[in-house]
Amino acid sequence: MAAEINNIPYKIYLSEDEMPKAWYNVRADMKVKPAPLLNPGTGKPMGFEDLRPVFCDELIRQELDNDDREIPIPQEILDFYKMYRPSPLVRAYCLEKALGTPAKIYYKFEGNNTSGSHKLNSAIAQAYYAKQQGLKGVTTETGAGQWGTALSMACAYLGLDCKVYMVKVSYEQKPFRREVMRVYGADVTASPSDTTAVGRSILERFPGTGGSLGCAISEAVEAAVTNEGYRYVLGSVLSQVLLHQSVIGLETKAALDKYGVKPDVVIGCAGGGSNLGGLIAPFMGERLRGESDCRFIAVEPASCPSLTRGVYAYDFCDTGMVCPLAKMYTLGSGFMPAPNHAGGLRYHGMSSTVSQLYDDGLMEARAVTQTDVFDAAVKFARIEGILPAPESSHAIRVAVDEALECKRTGQQKNIVFGLTGTGYFDLYAYVRYNDGQMTDRIPTDEELADAIAAAYRQVIADLYAAGCRNIQFDDCTWGIYCDTDFVAKTGMQAVDIQKVSELGVALNNTAIEGAPEDLVINTHVCRGNYHSTYAFEGGYDPVAPYLFAHENVDAFYLEFDTPRAGGFEPLAHVAEG
């Protein structure tokens, strides 16, 4: 690659001929593949035929494809892309100057289309495959409304019917976004609603709720399977969506390559993972292949912190528990986030692909508060001249933080972030900020524990119904707490081990409460196993007074009397019976 060129333009545009001709499938380069979707009725991986009643055939093939690195983009989709792509990669000279940072900041701007966001990249692909299959229409959910708007546009272009279930709090806060969808012919319903059985059930469980993406997904899936000629399409989370959104990262990389620029850190907002996964895809591929040591940062709202405070487990993709089980970082499918203004990030879980990359240590995650996000959004608007969407502003917040750290250290890093869309339909949120009425709502540990326990409890019930009679919790957390050297090295000594241990035991006990008498439940204190190398060492003394004494399992699977596991003395804490 050529050396980095100094005279980089403010906006880097590719020509239409330089647009990607194929999507990039990062799963092909992942050493550890994302876990498969499971059928909640059988507990077995779902195959093509299992998914056909819900999804379009070609999209199922893309969802299940972990091997093909490139998926050709059909010409009809490429032609549609040309109406708004390639999108510009902007060198943020004005922001750099305002911050006084030696860092070089770039952002990929995806708001230059009527939908106002990156969502159109996958909407046209999914609508195209539905049309090719001869379907009448599609159903979907939408949070802030960008995805619903994008799908409405794509369906109007292709002559498909479009039914959108919009998270109620966004439906009420963003009426103009709703009306744009209606302009494009969509039928828009506030979710949860009384138009579906699952919606009525959710309203009964959570009266007065503002809804969530999980609720809206449940209703959209029910509408798809109960209306002949319809299929469900999803704007985030699924691997097929991240595949389509890889066009963002591919264009970004091509633009940087033209000027010899290699990013040091790539930053994206994270709700379900579509924008983040698409932006980082080709750069992550380089890291997976050992060609780069680029850092990746997922930024999520502190009010819905699935990566930073969730658990990595199988959970339902929706609140109504009608969808498959996905292994992901989750707060529990029953978690109802506070009605923050970043409606597109109000999802209890995270993409299985993003979750696996995060769990493999290939990605960082940060949770930021709403007021801090809008502080950054307003400053960005005044400096760079673009009014950003609340979702995008999460990435702006951390990009600014990274640039200020470079100012402190003197490092000249190349920082790339995704500006996923504009905020012109989010002015209610800006009114709240400008009037000083915006507040931060961060869930307590107890609230998160209750939601996570409920998710575990449902999965346990489904496994039992499928015939399982022995379940093991493979829990690395306790192994971490046992390793006093690791705790010291990572700064975890600031964590109250007693408090988090008591909370963890309470969570597990709540999860197994009421389990059938003939179901055996065990806990394995796992010390990690990566390429046959353990991650943690130390005796059980730090956790024994909590775990051994109070967890209501039938057995513990433990390692003893080795240099890395300590002696038998902590067994004195095991409760009788």
Side-chain angles (χ1 to χ4, degrees):
M1 179 181 294
E4 185 172 329
I5 298 172
N6 292 323
N7 57 338
I8 296 175
Y10 184 82
K11 290 180 180 173
I12 306 173
Y13 283 102
L14 302 177
S15 69
E16 289 183 359
D17 291 338
E18 294 174 301
M19 286 174 57
K21 303 301 188 293
W23 294 303
Y24 167 61
N25 183 8
V26 72
R27 289 168 287 164
D29 286 315
M30 292 173 64
K31 295 177 178 61
V32 182
K33 308 296 184 184
L37 296 170
L38 297 184
N39 185 322
T42 65
K44 296 180 179 179
M46 299 190 75
F48 182 82
E49 291 300 326
D50 299 309
L51 296 168
R52 287 197 75 192
V54 179
F55 300 112
C56 301
D57 289 358
E58 183 57 33
L59 294 171
I60 297 172
R61 294 186 183 96
Q62 293 177 4
E63 186 67 26
L64 299 176
D65 187 347
N66 286 336
D67 302 314
D68 292 320
R69 183 175 283 111
E70 292 188 346
I71 307 295
I73 303 174
Q75 187 60 48
E76 293 91 333
I77 297 176
L78 284 172
D79 291 341
F80 186 90
Y81 277 172
K82 290 175 183 177
M83 289 195 286
Y84 66 99
R85 306 206 71 86
S87 66
L89 179 69
V90 182
R91 173 70 184 273
Y93 284 111
C94 298
L95 182 61
E96 293 171 15
K97 181 178 178 181
L99 296 175
T101 178
K104 298 171 184 178
I105 306 173
Y106 301 82
Y107 59 89
K108 182 66 166 171
F109 181 46
E110 290 290 308
N112 57 343
N113 64 77
T114 302
S115 75
S117 81
H118 66 293
K119 294 292 187 179
L120 200 52
N121 301 328
S122 185
I124 186 59
Q126 296 191 56
Y128 167 80
Y129 290 120
K131 183 73 172 181
Q132 290 295 107
Q133 194 170 323
L135 298 175
K136 177 182 178 182
V138 293
T139 69
T140 197
E141 80 298 326
T142 193
Q146 290 100 327
W147 167 248
T149 304
L151 187 65
S152 302
M153 291 177 64
C155 288
Y157 179 79
L158 294 168
L160 288 170
D161 189 29
C162 182
K163 300 181 185 296
V164 179
Y165 290 86
M166 187 174 185
V167 175
K168 183 180 289 183
V169 64
S170 294
Y171 183 95
E172 295 168 348
Q173 290 177 353
K174 302 175 184 180
F176 298 120
R177 178 75 72 180
R178 178 182 73 222
E179 292 311 309
V180 174
M181 292 184 236
R182 293 179 64 198
V183 165
Y184 285 100
D187 178 19
V188 187
T189 303
S191 174
S193 73
D194 60 3
T195 65
T196 64
V198 70
R200 292 188 290 273
S201 174
I202 292 169
L203 287 171
E204 186 175 337
R205 289 170 57 201
F206 305 101
T209 179
S212 71
L213 281 169
C215 297
I217 290 170
S218 298
E219 293 203 90
V221 170
E222 180 180 321
V225 298
T226 56
N227 287 277
E228 187 176 353
Y230 284 78
R231 291 294 187 276
Y232 168 66
V233 295
L234 182 62
S236 190
V237 182
L238 293 179
S239 296
Q240 57 181 273
V241 183
L242 273 67
L243 174 72
H244 305 149
Q245 294 297 354
S246 68
V247 69
I248 303 172
L250 291 167
E251 284 187 6
T252 302
K253 186 177 184 304
L256 292 172
D257 285 350
K258 290 180 75 169
Y259 292 90
V261 177
K262 294 283 273 186
D264 295 297
V265 58
V266 180
I267 302 166
C269 62
S274 67
N275 155 73
L276 173 71
L279 175 65
I280 70 173
F283 304 106
M284 179 63 77
E286 288 184 328
R287 180 163 172 180
L288 288 165
R289 296 189 297 271
E291 302 165 7
S292 164
D293 59 357
C294 183
R295 291 170 56 216
F296 304 95
I297 305 177
V299 191
E300 60 186 6
S303 60
C304 198
S306 57
L307 287 172
T308 54
R309 297 176 67 192
V311 295
Y312 191 34
Y314 269 103
D315 190 15
F316 283 94
C317 296
D318 65 310
T319 304
M321 297 179 287
V322 299
C323 286
L325 295 167
K327 190 175 184 183
M328 58 184 173
Y329 275 87
T330 179
L331 299 170
S333 59
F335 177 72
M336 288 291 176
N340 70 321
H341 295 288
L345 306 183
R346 289 170 50 80
Y347 184 60
H348 66 273
M350 184 58 61
S351 151
S352 292
T353 299
V354 171
S355 293
Q356 186 65 62
L357 292 169
Y358 180 65
D359 198 62
D360 288 342
L362 295 164
M363 184 185 304
E364 305 167 35
R366 296 185 195 173
V368 290
T369 61
Q370 184 169 231
T371 50
D372 283 345
V373 165
F374 273 82
D375 284 345
V378 169
K379 290 173 184 174
F380 182 86
R382 293 173 181 176
I383 295 168
E384 285 287 320
I386 298 174
L387 185 70
E391 294 80 9
S392 313
S393 302
H394 287 67
I396 295 172
R397 172 71 272 166
V398 171
V400 168
D401 291 344
E402 285 289 305
L404 291 175
E405 178 63 13
C406 288
K407 180 179 180 179
R408 187 186 69 82
T409 63
Q411 293 177 291
Q412 296 185 0
K413 291 184 178 180
N414 291 321
I415 299 171
V416 177
F417 72 90
L419 184 58
T420 56
T422 56
Y424 300 109
F425 288 110
D426 301 289
L427 292 177
Y428 175 78
Y430 281 98
V431 168
R432 299 281 295 177
Y433 176 83
N434 291 334
D435 290 346
Q437 297 176 346
M438 183 171 284
T439 58
D440 294 317
R441 173 68 175 88
I442 302 174
T444 65
D445 291 341
E446 289 72 22
E447 288 171 331
L448 292 180
D450 286 345
I452 292 168
Y456 274 131
R457 191 161 53 245
Q458 183 61 50
V459 172
I460 290 170
D462 289 334
L463 290 172
Y464 183 84
C468 178
R469 292 298 180 269
N470 193 311
I471 292 175
Q472 178 171 296
F473 290 165
D474 198 39
D475 201 335
C476 292
T477 307
W478 305 109
I480 294 173
Y481 295 162
C482 292
D483 193 331
T484 54
D485 288 340
F486 180 86
V487 168
K489 283 189 295 185
T490 56
M492 286 182 61
Q493 65 265 38
V495 175
D496 187 335
I497 298 297
Q498 177 178 345
K499 180 181 177 181
V500 296
S501 295
E502 290 174 345
L503 185 65
V505 169
L507 189 160
N508 289 349
N509 284 342
T510 302
I512 62 180
E513 185 177 2
E517 291 186 3
D518 61 338
L519 177 63
V520 177
I521 299 178
N522 312 311
T523 285
H524 171 218
V525 177
C526 180
R527 295 174 182 275
N529 181 10
Y530 183 72
H531 292 187
S532 299
T533 301
Y534 64 89
F536 314 110
E537 59 184 338
Y540 297 98
D541 305 81
V543 301
Y546 319 107
L547 179 65
F548 294 168
H550 300 292
E551 189 178 49
N552 299 326
V553 292
D554 297 294
F556 294 102
Y557 286 163
L558 308 169
E559 177 187 1
F560 275 102
D561 207 24
T562 69
R564 73 181 193 212
F568 294 99
E569 293 79 7
L571 286 177
H573 291 279
V574 175
E576 293 185 7

